[in-house]
Amino acid sequence: MSWRFVACTALFVTCLLTANTTAAKLITVSGVTLPAGIVIFPISYILGDVLTEVWGYAAARRVIWLGFACNALMVAAVWVGGELPPAPFWRGQAAYQEILGQTPRILVASFLAYLVGEFANSYVLARLKIVTRGRWLWVRTIGSTIVGEGLDSALFVALAFGGGVPAGVLPGLVLGQWWVKVLYEAVATPLTYAAVAWLKSREHVDTFDYGTDFNPLRLRG
């Protein structure tokens, strides 16, 4: 693969890891409570759109699994760092655990939501590209984001907070994250168009997933 593909992959993984780290802080936007990771996490979906649109579902699938592996490695490293005894003069252990330490339930919810959301996003975009014959990129990017981010938000909130907060609160948490992420994608559409056009012209590739095996567990082909 070219350096452009490597750069897109690196940016995708960076956005994912940064979002998961900054998500420990909660912010309020227009009365909606959101994790601070909302600042950068939607960019991973935009990059997922670009990867699928230019190089196809199979290439995006490998990047999604790479992001998963990198995230798992980061979580393991953070956990080991937290378990190691702090230096006697260091007073940041409680802050370290509060900001970086995540409960197993939150981690499982995050990992599953990421996989389901990203694969759904890539799958829908690839299928829509065939249906639209490569036209109306905005329909594919926004449509795939509606599905992918919707599943991501719903799955994460249900698994992470189900039973821990009143049932009536859960839909609000899901919808709040969902509409902000979709709006983010819509606003970024001109940049997505520019990135896709530039990459296609430089890479001389515009992949259509005819005959592609969409099994998310398949890493080859």
Side-chain angles (χ1 to χ4, degrees):
M1 289 293 183
S2 71
W3 69 266
R4 299 177 187 87
F5 178 81
V6 174
C8 287
T9 300
L11 287 172
F12 177 91
V13 174
T14 299
C15 290
L16 175 63
L17 298 185
T18 303
N20 285 345
T21 302
T22 58
K25 178 179 179 178
L26 295 178
I27 60 175
T28 300
V29 179
S30 300
V32 179
T33 300
L34 301 163
I38 196 72
V39 173
I40 197 169
F41 182 69
I43 298 178
S44 70
Y45 271 76
I46 295 172
L47 289 165
D49 289 344
V50 171
L51 287 162
T52 305
E53 174 68 22
V54 178
W55 289 283
Y57 177 87
R61 174 172 52 200
R62 291 193 291 270
V63 174
I64 292 170
W65 280 114
L66 177 63
F68 180 86
C70 290
N71 192 31
L73 177 61
M74 183 188 75
V75 168
V78 168
W79 179 80
V80 171
E83 291 299 307
L84 292 174
F89 56 83
W90 192 61
R91 297 291 181 264
Q93 181 67 16
Y96 182 100
Q97 294 288 7
E98 181 178 359
I99 299 300
L100 296 178
Q102 300 185 54
T103 65
R105 181 178 180 179
I106 295 294
L107 288 176
V108 170
S110 176
F111 280 137
L112 290 178
Y114 161 77
L115 288 176
V116 171
E118 289 286 359
F119 276 120
N121 180 74
S122 185
Y123 174 82
V124 170
L125 189 142
R127 287 296 196 184
L128 284 177
K129 186 173 184 179
I130 294 173
V131 172
T132 61
R133 299 179 182 178
R135 297 170 295 175
W136 311 317
L137 176 59
W138 66 272
V139 172
R140 302 196 293 279
T141 58
I142 296 177
S144 62
T145 296
I146 290 174
V147 176
E149 291 283 21
L151 290 172
D152 180 289
S153 300
L155 191 57
F156 176 76
V157 170
L159 293 178
F161 304 113
V165 298
V169 174
L170 293 179
L173 293 175
V174 173
L175 292 175
Q177 293 192 47
W178 191 11
W179 78 260
V180 170
K181 292 172 182 176
V182 173
L183 179 63
Y184 199 129
E185 173 79 45
V187 171
T189 295
L191 294 177
T192 305
Y193 264 79
V196 167
W198 183 77
L199 286 168
K200 286 181 179 179
S201 67
R202 294 298 187 275
E203 293 290 300
H204 304 292
V205 63
D206 184 7
T207 303
F208 283 77
D209 284 292
Y210 295 110
T212 297
D213 182 352
F214 288 98
N215 180 355
L217 300 179
R218 181 182 176 89
L219 296 182
R220 292 180 179 273

